[in-house]
Amino acid sequence: MLITDRSQLPKQLYLAEQVRALDRCAIEEHGIPGLTLMERAGDAAFDLLQKRWPQAGSITLLCGIGNNGGDGFVVARRALQAGLSVRLLQLGDGSKRRGDALASAEKFRQTGGQITPYNGFDFDTDLIVDGLLGTGLERPVTGAWLDAIRAANQHPAPILSLDIPSGLHSDTGAIMGDAIVAAATLSFIGLKQGMFTGEGPACCGVIALDDLDVPATAYEPVPANARLLQWSGYREHLKPRARTLHKGKCGHLLLVGGDKGFLGAIRMAGEAAARTGAGLVTIATRSEHATLIVSQRPELMCHGIEQPRDLLPLIARADAVAIGPGLGQASWGQGMLRQVLQSDRPLVMDADALNLLAQEPERRDDWVLTPHPGEAARLLDGSVAQVQADRFRAVSRLQQRYGGVVLLKGAGTLISSGADVPIGLCCEGNPGMASGGMGDMLTGVIGGLMVQGEPIGIAAEMGACLHGAAADLAAKDGERGMMATDLLMPIRHLMNPELV
């Protein structure tokens, strides 16, 4: 069944080896010939091609010698039969083609198709179909393959990738030398986790899936490696409030931060918590900031705190503590963090709270850590490049080292709650979020959900999705120029689904 609506995509995300296991199960256990699966894949791709680009009269296919190329040959044959102008460019030694891919190529020839060895292309075409490499790529692309990827990307025609954009690592979302930048990607049998994080979102374009009619029972022995998270999956957590509810029943969040010169960060976090529905929001900040915040947002209870011990009565009254926005790494911030870490309240740790934690690591089970790649690198004593090369490994290592729940921010935010729970991947959000203050907002959102009773793992997952979905609503006015505070009213809107 072909699924083109993102909201209808299955939640299971797989490693490449898991999808190969599903493929083998379909063939060996359920008696579906490999060539039949290849025909179904090519048919689904051609159907998507016609729906998405109905005016395309000419297509160019880039095909390798493996099964990904075999899928491309089916697309080419269907296009010929439909009367389209078809040009198929072969990469690799075609004499080494075997099995189903060979059979598919022969059917294309029998239909009147011609296979042309790749030697670059500078001709016009309405559409490019990428059937070069598939999911088995484990080393950087070089030679003619690299040239073909770059030539395709430079061509003005849109690209449809089969299964995964060539050059993109299906498990990590890392680019292996270079990668196709597709307008759309049609994945087969199961969604590959690398399509949704790292460079995956930039390479895949619109993602669709066809399960090739593989029976549901074939999936049972292969548990997914990760879960796709979307805001729509959390509506059941937002039942209408009781008519007799009061603020004391909606939770009390304490936010700590805002050293001198960083007033805005802690205020934004506080407003985000309030718009998420927290009954009471207290801010502990520098004395000169407290009056300013109250004068602009009187609903926030602001306290000027200069000595760590003065936090104690505020912590005692709170249900959870969020620390980090605008905290700084000077003596004031260090003292505030030490005091907070001595408490027994569940925590949200962000920004400089994480940078300070990297200097004096500790582990606990009742916190949510929300690093961006730079902070994650410091927490792991590594580099940003290492984090981004395999974000799944990075978030798992962070959780193993520091405990609790770890939320690794970025395109395709990842949430790890430990080995017993598959990693969650939030696919909400957009590039408009690349602006200052977005992380502060997320801290407030997660804290606001925690004090309303959500367990820390659910609060982190739900918060990431709420944050991204609010940004998607805000982006209706354009991604460029979006500010963090533009998310406040969409957050309130989404937290009241009965009004949607």
Side-chain angles (χ1 to χ4, degrees):
M1 180 176 65
L2 178 63
I3 302 172
T4 58
D5 183 346
R6 188 181 77 166
S7 67
Q8 299 303 313
L9 289 174
K11 307 311 177 199
Q12 296 78 19
L13 300 177
Y14 295 97
L15 298 168
E17 65 179 67
Q18 292 178 307
V19 178
R20 288 192 286 271
L22 291 169
D23 188 82
R24 286 193 301 272
C25 183
I27 295 170
E28 297 171 5
E29 303 296 329
H30 295 271
I32 306 173
L35 185 58
T36 298
L37 293 174
M38 188 171 286
E39 290 284 334
R40 291 175 182 174
D43 288 348
F46 185 71
D47 291 345
L48 177 61
L49 181 159
Q50 287 192 305
K51 290 176 182 177
R52 188 168 181 83
W53 296 283
Q55 304 304 316
S58 61
I59 66 171
T60 297
L61 298 101
L62 300 173
C63 292
I65 60 175
N67 285 346
N68 194 242
D71 298 338
F73 277 106
V74 179
V75 176
R77 190 177 82 243
R78 285 284 308 274
L80 277 178
Q81 292 168 339
L84 277 64
S85 173
V86 176
R87 191 187 302 253
L88 192 147
L89 304 181
Q90 169 75 57
L91 283 95
D93 184 354
S95 67
K96 296 181 179 179
R97 192 180 288 112
R98 297 289 184 269
D100 298 329
L102 176 60
S104 183
E106 289 304 314
K107 284 187 176 185
F108 173 66
R109 285 195 183 97
Q110 293 167 9
T111 309
Q114 294 185 345
I115 301 175
T116 303
Y118 175 79
N119 191 29
F121 62 94
D122 56 2
F123 46 82
D124 291 335
T125 188
D126 295 330
L127 180 68
I128 298 169
V129 176
D130 161 34
L132 286 173
L133 293 171
T135 61
L137 183 67
E138 291 295 338
R139 62 180 184 272
V141 181
T142 59
W145 306 84
L146 181 61
D147 180 78
I149 287 172
R150 290 176 174 172
N153 286 339
Q154 292 168 5
H155 199 283
I159 304 173
L160 170 63
S161 283
L162 305 181
D163 211 18
I164 194 166
S166 294
L168 181 71
H169 197 285
S170 60
D171 292 349
T172 67
I175 289 178
M176 307 296 284
D178 208 341
I180 289 288
V181 179
T185 299
L186 176 57
S187 194
F188 303 123
I189 299 182
L191 295 170
K192 290 74 184 173
Q193 64 181 33
M195 300 170 69
F196 295 90
T197 196
E199 297 298 323
C203 292
C204 291
V206 176
I207 295 173
L209 173 72
D210 197 296
D211 61 11
L212 308 185
D213 294 330
V214 171
T217 52
Y219 293 81
E220 293 174 0
V222 186
N225 192 62
R227 299 166 293 130
L228 192 65
L229 308 177
Q230 296 178 297
W231 174 244
S232 59
Y234 295 95
R235 290 177 66 97
E236 64 185 40
H237 292 252
L238 302 173
K239 295 179 174 60
R241 287 181 161 183
R243 298 300 88 189
T244 55
L245 196 69
H246 59 81
K247 63 188 178 185
K249 295 291 186 180
C250 295
H252 186 169
L253 178 67
L254 170 64
L255 293 119
V256 182
D259 198 358
K260 294 177 180 179
F262 299 103
L263 162 66
I266 198 66
R267 176 188 162 177
M268 285 189 289
E271 290 197 46
R275 290 300 187 189
T276 303
L280 295 167
V281 178
T282 294
I283 291 178
T285 186
R286 282 287 196 175
S287 297
E288 60 262 43
H289 293 163
T291 302
L292 287 172
I293 294 174
V294 169
S295 68
Q296 298 165 356
R297 179 56 70 193
E299 298 90 344
L300 304 177
M301 299 180 291
C302 297
H303 295 260
I305 301 293
E306 297 301 328
Q307 299 300 323
R309 64 178 178 273
D310 295 335
L311 278 175
L312 291 174
L314 303 182
I315 293 172
R317 291 196 293 270
D319 297 306
V321 181
I323 182 168
L327 184 69
Q329 298 184 52
S331 59
W332 184 83
Q334 293 174 22
M336 296 299 113
L337 180 59
R338 281 194 295 269
Q339 190 68 69
V340 166
L341 290 177
Q342 292 174 20
S343 78
D344 61 356
R345 296 295 189 262
L347 307 178
V348 185
M349 300 269 287
D350 186 32
D352 278 326
L354 298 173
N355 292 323
L356 292 170
L357 178 64
Q359 298 172 25
E360 297 183 26
E362 64 177 87
R363 178 187 173 90
R364 57 191 289 173
D365 295 327
D366 62 346
W367 61 11
V368 178
L369 310 183
T370 64
H372 59 53
E375 292 156 350
R378 288 186 280 276
L379 289 164
L380 292 172
D381 300 315
S383 68
V384 173
Q386 290 171 328
V387 170
Q388 292 297 84
D390 191 341
R391 287 168 54 80
F392 287 94
R393 181 172 182 269
V395 76
S396 295
R397 288 182 62 208
L398 285 165
Q399 198 284 325
Q400 290 164 8
R401 180 175 295 188
Y402 293 96
V405 176
V406 178
L407 183 153
L408 178 57
K409 293 184 282 198
T413 289
L414 301 179
I415 301 101
S416 175
S417 299
D420 295 336
V421 181
I423 291 171
L425 191 158
C426 173
C427 65
E428 309 282 11
N430 61 79
M433 301 172 76
S435 64
M438 288 291 176
D440 305 316
M441 299 288 288
L442 178 60
T443 298
V445 166
I446 294 172
L449 292 169
M450 285 170 56
V451 299
Q452 291 177 79
E454 298 294 347
I456 61 171
I458 296 297
E461 294 178 0
M462 189 174 175
C465 291
L466 172 60
H467 185 244
D472 287 338
L473 286 180
K476 291 182 178 180
D477 292 325
E479 292 178 355
R480 286 189 179 88
M482 186 192 302
M483 296 194 299
T485 52
D486 292 337
L487 274 59
L488 288 171
M489 293 314 296
I491 286 171
R492 181 185 179 192
H493 180 73
L494 291 168
M495 285 296 291
N496 292 278
E498 67 273 13
L499 301 178
V500 177

